[in-house]
């Protein structure tokens, strides 16, 4: 089946990245009923044996319900939010109920075998239920000839702006495929965010690397960056919408702009300048590979010190062995990775770095693996995403001699055990931290906030705290999160009153000048020196949490999992009195001061005088 082609009036021409390409297109649809094909073998598991559903002449566009399922990274999540926004704008209802939906839309990930296996299972269920199906994402874009995709409508990663057309035709009984890469999807498309306080902003697609194990580049392609102006415009727009966290997302954030003559520091400085000065909206920089951040370390460190930027970065190392990094074609050495970590840790107080490890890459010896373990032990990263090696079809690594599967599993378990032995949050109890609250924990009791170092803090309070920034006192720590009491609210998004005695505490114990939006900080001065971050500036003590799902093998790297960690019963019990403190803060009267007493006394005396005058006149 051939792809649909856009027929551009006047021959067209690519628009600048980040801006919508005007299209007045005639769309050709391939109908499965009109195309003659050889009769397939008798196999009840293939969709092509079944006739396509009859065309519904009473079909009313935009009245159906669509089940949307997303696999993979934050970039995929952003694509799904854009697709949901367009479909919702057209009238379709987006639902989590697969059985009751009229059509299934599956956004896929090709990074690991388990994700693709889950996709295969879901496609089989959809076919068995005889539901119309559209598959999007990296799997069909990188492997469009998969048997599982036979008879299925497809929308490619750079065609998400046409998802409504694909859904519409699929509901009519047509098989539609849109895979040709044209220009980047516009950033101003309608969007339905999974979390209304979090904007996942793709800054580029594809990458410049050629890792031997990676299938993603087959789907996302070569680097393509959005313009600085289009990204800054999007930032201003989402801030006006009430977004409190902006996640920059891409296959390699550090490579941003090399195709259009700019670089990541230029973009970051422009975005930071567009953020509210009160610190109500925070920026989180996405995953970056070591090669493309090495030359900008000082500039990146300076930006990470800014009060509106989380002091957190995801820098994958994949292996602690130079021999394995060479086999992976990662284009850096362990020493260069160390330089990235050491430099950022030195220049950015409270800096937290997450990393990735692949266990059992082809050719990995016991010595190679020991070097990886030693690297993790040395730095004690608070987040380590540990994966077993999965050969992806069509990649050079898939043709390499594999390590025995029992050895791969053993190494994965050993590294996981090492990682879980760390206690990154010891020493945080009693500290005062500023957090940004953006989510509700799965226990439906705690709200989820993050410190400037992106440490996950669970607090008890009303849902009106969502979207606000607050000062908290850390009361206890767990392996994956810390717990705190809200003692001061720094934004106007909540009507919760904090007891006056806690306000006194905050003035005495505030540990970070940058945690107060009104305090001066050398990191955020108007004309800062490149290394203006002193030891007492932006002082955020703690390390970033890693939820349980991220510590085990095959764990996804989706940062949204941070809010999905269910606290242990002991931690919930420890914080059970927090709700009482907040609930009673509106009930208890405040302490009467001298001025208050004098005012009330004067009013009372005036009242008595007036009564006396009336009595006198009356007599």
């Amino acid at each position: 089946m051939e792809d649909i082609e856009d027929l551009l009036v006047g021959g067209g021409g690519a628009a600048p990245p980040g801006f919508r390409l005007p299209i007045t297109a005639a769309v050709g649809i391939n109908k499965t009923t009109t195309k003659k094909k050889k009769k397939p073998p008798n196999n009840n598991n293939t969709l092509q044996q079944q006739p396509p559903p009859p065309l519904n002449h009473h079909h009313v566009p935009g009245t159906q319900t669509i089940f949307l399922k997303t696999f993979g990274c934050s970039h995929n999540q952003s694509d799904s939010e854009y697709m949901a926004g367009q479909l919702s704008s057209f009238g379709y209802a987006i639902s989590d109920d697969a059985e009751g939906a009229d059509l299934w839309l599956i956004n896929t990930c090709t990074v690991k075998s388990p994700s693709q296996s889950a996709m295969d299972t879901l496609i089989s269920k959809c076919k068995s239920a005889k539901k119309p199906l559209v598959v999007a994402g990296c799997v069909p874009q990188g492997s469009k000839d998969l048997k599982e995709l036979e008879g299925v409508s497809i929308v490619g990663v750079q065609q998400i702006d046409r998802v409504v057309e694909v859904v519409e035709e699929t509901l009519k009984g047509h098989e539609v495929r849109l895979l040709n890469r044209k220009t980047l999807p516009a950033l101003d498309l309608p969007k339905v965010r999974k979390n209304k306080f979090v904007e996942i902003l793709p800054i580029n697609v594809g990458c410049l690397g050629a890792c031997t194990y990676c299938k993603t580049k087959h789907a996302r392609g070569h680097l393509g960056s959005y313009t600085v102006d289009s990204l800054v415009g999007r930032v201003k727009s989402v801030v006006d919408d009430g977004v409190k966290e902006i996640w920059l997302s891409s296959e390699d954030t550090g490579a941003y702009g090399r195709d259009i003559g700019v670089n990541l520091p230029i973009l970051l400085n422009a975005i930071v300048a567009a953020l509210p000065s009160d610190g109500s909206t925070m920026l989180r920089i996405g995953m970056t590979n070591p090669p493309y951040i090495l030359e900008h370390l000082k500039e990146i460190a300076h930006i990470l010190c800014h009060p509106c930027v989380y002091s957190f970065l995801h820098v994958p190392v994949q292996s602690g062995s130079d021999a394995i990094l060479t086999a992976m074609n990662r284009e850096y050495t362990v020493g260069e990775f160390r330089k990235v970590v050491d430099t950022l840790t030195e220049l950015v107080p409270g800096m937290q770095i997450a990393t990735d490890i692949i266990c059992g890459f082809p050719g990995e010896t016991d010595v190679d693996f020991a070097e990886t373990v030693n690297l993790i032990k040395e730095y004690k990263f608070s987040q380590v995403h540990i994966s077993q090696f999965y050969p992806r079809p069509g990649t050079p690594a898939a043709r390499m001699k594999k390590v025995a599967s029992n050895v791969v599993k053993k190494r994965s378990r050993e590294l996981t055990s090492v990682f879980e032995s760390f206690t990154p949050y010891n020493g945080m109890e009693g500290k005062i931290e500023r957090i940004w609250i953006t989510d509700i924990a799965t226990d439906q009791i705690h709200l989820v906030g993050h410190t400037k170092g992106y440490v996950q803090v669970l607090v008890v309070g009303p849902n009106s705290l969502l979207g606000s920034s607050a000062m908290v006192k850390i009361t206890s720590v767990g392996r994956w999160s810390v717990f705190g009491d809200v003692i001061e609210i720094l934004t106007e998004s909540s009507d919760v009153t904090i007891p006056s005695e806690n306000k006194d505490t905050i003035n005495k114990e505030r540990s970070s000048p940058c945690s107060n939006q009104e305090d001066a900080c050398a990191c955020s001065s108007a004309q800062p020196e490149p290394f203006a971050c002193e030891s007492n500036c932006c002082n955020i003590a703690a390390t970033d949490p890693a939820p349980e799902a991220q510590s085990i093998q095959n764990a996804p790297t989706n940062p949204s999992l941070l809010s999905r960690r269910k606290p242990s019963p002991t931690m919930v019990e420890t914080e059970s009195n927090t709700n009482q403190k907040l609930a009673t803060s509106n009930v208890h009267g405040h302490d009467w001061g001298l001025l208050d007493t004098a005012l009330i006394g004067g009013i009372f005396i005036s009242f008595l005088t007036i009564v006396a005058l009336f009595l006198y006149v009356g007599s």
Side-chain angles (χ1 to χ4, degrees):
M1 168 109 18
E2 296 178 354
D3 296 343
I4 295 177
E5 295 293 336
D6 292 341
L7 305 179
L8 301 181
V9 175
F19 293 94
R20 191 186 305 278
L21 185 68
I23 295 177
T24 53
V27 180
I29 305 296
N30 289 317
K31 297 185 180 181
T32 55
T33 54
T34 60
K35 199 164 187 175
K36 294 184 179 180
K37 296 182 179 180
K38 292 183 180 180
K39 186 176 181 180
N42 186 14
N43 184 348
N44 293 329
N45 292 324
T46 60
L47 181 65
Q48 286 187 342
Q49 184 184 0
Q50 304 171 2
L55 184 63
N56 183 359
H57 295 286
H58 301 288
H59 169 74
V60 179
T63 60
Q64 290 74 24
T65 299
I66 297 174
F67 167 66
L68 175 56
K69 176 67 176 179
T70 305
F71 295 95
C73 64
S74 59
H75 198 163
N76 257 24
Q77 181 63 47
S78 177
D79 286 351
S80 289
E81 291 176 354
Y82 273 124
M83 289 190 286
Q86 294 171 85
L87 292 166
S88 296
S89 295
F90 202 75
Y92 292 100
I94 308 300
S95 173
D96 293 329
D97 178 19
E99 297 300 323
D102 299 296
L103 177 142
W104 289 16
L105 173 57
I106 304 173
N107 195 3
T108 61
C109 173
T110 190
V111 172
K112 300 177 184 179
S113 295
S115 295
Q116 190 160 332
S117 297
M119 176 209 74
D120 295 343
T121 301
L122 203 56
I123 288 176
S124 296
K125 288 182 179 179
C126 187
K127 291 179 177 179
S128 298
K130 298 183 180 180
K131 300 273 190 180
L133 174 63
V134 176
V135 177
C138 292
V139 171
Q141 188 73 67
S143 306
K144 64 181 179 180
D145 296 326
L146 283 177
K147 182 179 179 181
E148 290 79 7
L149 298 177
E150 291 179 358
V152 174
S153 289
I154 289 172
V155 57
V157 294
Q158 292 186 22
Q159 298 275 23
I160 60 172
D161 55 345
R162 299 184 61 187
V163 66
V164 173
E165 298 173 55
V166 177
V167 165
E168 190 64 32
E169 295 301 328
T170 303
L171 284 168
K172 292 177 182 178
H174 303 148
E175 178 187 345
V176 181
R177 296 199 165 196
L178 272 177
L179 289 171
N180 285 351
R181 294 187 179 93
K182 300 191 178 302
T183 188
L184 299 180
L187 294 172
D188 61 349
L189 295 170
K191 194 172 192 180
V192 175
R193 300 183 190 92
K194 188 173 182 180
N195 183 332
K196 69 177 184 178
F197 298 111
V198 177
E199 167 73 4
I200 304 173
L201 179 60
I203 63 173
N204 56 264
V205 300
C207 67
L208 295 175
C211 301
T212 56
Y213 58 84
C214 183
K215 184 78 172 177
T216 303
K217 188 165 185 176
H218 294 198
R220 295 285 183 177
H222 198 66
L223 181 68
S225 302
Y226 287 94
T227 63
V228 173
D229 287 345
S230 64
L231 291 166
V232 171
R234 180 66 181 176
V235 166
K236 292 178 179 178
S237 174
V238 301
V239 168
D240 290 341
D241 288 342
V243 162
K244 300 303 179 183
E245 280 188 9
I246 299 173
W247 299 354
L248 302 187
S249 177
S250 75
E251 283 63 57
D252 187 355
T253 302
Y256 169 79
R258 290 171 178 257
D259 57 322
I260 58 174
V262 293
N263 58 40
L264 183 60
I266 291 174
L267 172 66
L268 295 178
N269 282 311
I271 289 178
V272 166
L275 295 176
S277 59
D278 63 356
S280 58
T281 300
M282 294 294 286
L283 179 69
R284 200 188 77 174
I285 304 173
M287 187 274 288
T288 178
N289 288 311
Y292 305 112
I293 193 177
L294 276 167
E295 64 187 84
H296 302 304
L297 280 178
K298 295 178 181 179
E299 295 93 333
I300 298 297
H302 173 66
I303 293 165
L304 288 168
C305 279
H306 194 280
C308 295
V309 181
Y310 285 120
S311 305
F312 170 81
L313 199 60
H314 178 191
V315 186
V317 63
Q318 305 299 8
S319 175
S321 164
D322 282 337
I324 297 303
L325 291 179
T326 299
M328 292 177 172
N329 195 29
R330 289 290 289 169
E331 300 180 340
Y332 59 87
T333 64
V334 176
E336 289 172 327
F337 172 78
R338 287 177 180 272
K339 180 180 179 182
V340 171
V341 176
D342 293 342
T343 302
L344 294 180
T345 302
E346 176 187 357
L347 300 181
V348 186
M351 181 69 199
Q352 301 303 319
I353 293 177
T355 194
D356 299 345
I357 296 292
I358 297 176
C359 292
F361 188 83
E364 183 184 66
T365 65
D366 289 340
V367 174
D368 294 325
F369 178 67
E371 291 178 340
T372 298
V373 173
N374 290 336
L375 181 71
I376 300 302
K377 284 182 177 179
E378 177 183 350
Y379 284 98
K380 291 183 171 57
F381 298 105
S382 54
Q383 282 194 43
V384 180
H385 310 142
I386 302 169
S387 299
Q388 299 176 27
F389 170 74
Y390 294 104
R392 308 303 296 132
T395 63
R399 301 188 294 270
M400 298 178 182
K401 185 177 180 180
K402 300 176 181 60
V403 177
S405 60
N406 62 319
V407 175
V408 176
K409 292 177 181 178
K410 177 178 177 293
R411 290 175 180 172
S412 177
R413 288 194 297 267
E414 178 181 342
L415 189 59
T416 299
S417 178
V418 168
F419 167 69
E420 290 183 343
S421 70
F422 302 155
T423 54
Y425 309 122
N426 284 357
M428 284 193 70
E429 288 185 79
K431 289 187 176 294
I432 305 296
E433 300 282 351
R434 180 177 182 177
I435 66 170
W436 289 261
I437 304 171
T438 57
D439 211 346
I440 302 174
T442 53
D443 65 357
Q444 300 300 310
I445 297 174
H446 291 87
L447 302 180
V448 181
H450 292 93
T451 68
K452 190 178 187 298
Y454 215 69
V455 179
Q456 180 175 270
V457 182
L458 301 181
V459 299
V460 176
N463 287 356
S464 57
L465 281 175
L466 289 170
S468 68
S469 178
M471 301 302 300
V472 299
K473 184 173 183 178
I474 306 303
T475 57
S476 61
V477 301
R479 176 58 184 87
W480 313 111
S481 306
V482 302
F483 296 80
D485 285 342
V486 177
I487 57 179
E488 182 180 5
I489 300 166
L490 302 180
T491 63
E492 298 178 357
S493 62
S494 172
D495 58 357
V496 178
T497 303
I498 303 301
S500 58
E501 62 270 18
N502 283 344
K503 291 184 178 180
D504 293 336
T505 302
I506 184 66
N507 291 330
K508 295 177 182 178
E509 299 186 26
R510 179 178 285 125
S511 61
S512 169
C514 283
S515 63
N516 182 356
Q517 62 206 31
E518 296 179 356
D519 286 336
C521 174
C523 299
S524 59
S525 58
Q527 296 294 332
E529 294 296 325
F531 300 99
C533 300
E534 302 297 340
S535 60
N536 63 343
C537 173
C538 305
N539 179 26
I540 304 295
T543 52
D544 190 69
E548 185 172 24
Q550 292 177 326
S551 69
I552 61 174
Q553 59 194 19
N554 311 335
T557 61
N558 192 337
S560 65
L561 289 174
L562 291 171
S563 62
R564 303 222 177 341
R565 167 68 183 171
K566 183 175 288 189
S568 64
T570 57
M571 290 302 176
V572 174
E573 183 178 354
T574 303
E575 293 303 304
S576 62
N577 64 343
T578 309
N579 193 30
Q580 296 176 358
K581 292 181 180 179
L582 285 174
T584 57
S585 64
N586 283 328
V587 178
H588 296 300
H590 59 273
D591 296 333
W592 294 101
L594 179 62
L595 180 60
D596 296 321
T597 304
L599 288 173
I600 295 299
I603 293 172
F604 182 71
I605 293 172
S606 299
F607 176 78
L608 290 178
T609 303
I610 293 171
V611 171
L613 287 173
F614 273 111
L615 292 174
Y616 177 79
V617 173
S619 63

